[in-house]
Amino acid sequence: MACPAFAPGMRTPPFMRLVMTRGVGPLLGALPPSARVGRSMMRQIGHGASLDAGTLSQDLLDWYLALQRYTDTSANEGRMIASLGGPLGFDRRLTIPDEVLGRVTSPTVFLWGEDDTFGGAEVAQRIVAAMPRASLQMMPDAGHLPWIDDPDHAAKAVMDHLAG
C-alpha cells in the first residue's frame, strides 16, 4: 500500500527534506509534537482531502499524536530519515532499479492513493510495468497511507488479492 520507499521517481515531502537538512533535523526533533504539526504532516503526505472532509477520525489523529509524544518513534524515524538524504530529498543512489523490480515474481497488487505525494499515478504505473506479476488499484482522494482514507476499500482490496 502506497508509494514504496526508494521507488523510481519517488518524491520527498517538504517536512522530510527539512529533517534531512544538516542541523535542522535535530532541532525539529527537539520540538514537542503538536496536533497542528501532525495535521500538517498528514497534509504533506496527501491526506488533505480526508482532513478537509473530516473522514480521518479524531481517534486516529489522537493516536498519531500520542505515538509522537509518548514513544521513541518520532526520534527514531527522524534519525533514520536524516541518514538517507539531504535537503534535496532522498539519496537517488538508493532508488530500486527496474531490473530489481523485474525480478519480483510474486503476485503483487499495489493499492495507491491518487494524492500520494511521494509519487502519483505515473510513479505507480512505472513500478507496476517493471514487475511481471503486479497490478495497480488507484484510490481516489487517498494519500500515502490509503488505508486511513478509506479503510473499507483497503480491506476489500487486500481480501480480494489474498483470495485471488
Side-chain angles (χ1 to χ4, degrees):
M1 291 192 194
C3 181
F6 313 116
M10 184 188 99
R11 296 180 298 272
T12 309
F15 77 91
M16 284 189 159
R17 290 195 307 267
L18 280 174
V19 169
M20 289 186 255
T21 301
R22 184 172 300 227
V24 176
L27 291 174
L28 292 175
L31 297 173
S34 72
R36 184 179 59 78
V37 169
R39 286 172 146 329
S40 174
M41 289 169 59
M42 286 289 192
R43 274 190 196 287
Q44 287 187 46
I45 62 173
H47 299 289
S50 291
L51 284 167
D52 294 343
T55 57
L56 295 185
S57 73
Q58 190 59 48
D59 287 340
L60 180 123
L61 296 171
D62 291 345
W63 163 83
Y64 186 66
L65 181 58
L67 181 70
Q68 304 307 311
R69 278 191 179 155
Y70 306 119
T71 73
D72 292 332
T73 298
S74 184
N76 292 336
E77 285 184 352
R79 282 191 299 275
M80 178 201 56
I81 290 167
S83 73
L84 299 172
L88 298 178
F90 286 106
D91 184 335
R92 293 294 170 206
R93 293 174 296 180
L94 299 172
T95 299
I96 303 167
D98 286 349
E99 49 275 8
V100 171
L101 292 171
R103 291 195 302 261
V104 177
T105 59
S106 299
T108 305
V109 63
F110 285 92
L111 186 61
W112 204 292
E114 287 182 357
D115 298 329
D116 189 334
T117 57
F118 287 88
E122 69 287 346
V123 173
Q125 291 161 356
R126 178 177 174 189
I127 291 170
V128 169
M131 297 172 62
R133 297 183 68 197
S135 62
L136 173 64
Q137 289 186 36
M138 295 298 296
M139 283 182 62
D141 298 320
H144 184 61
L145 312 171
W147 61 92
I148 69 171
D149 294 299
D150 190 345
D152 293 337
H153 181 126
K156 182 175 181 341
V158 169
M159 295 305 291
D160 288 351
H161 177 68
L162 293 175

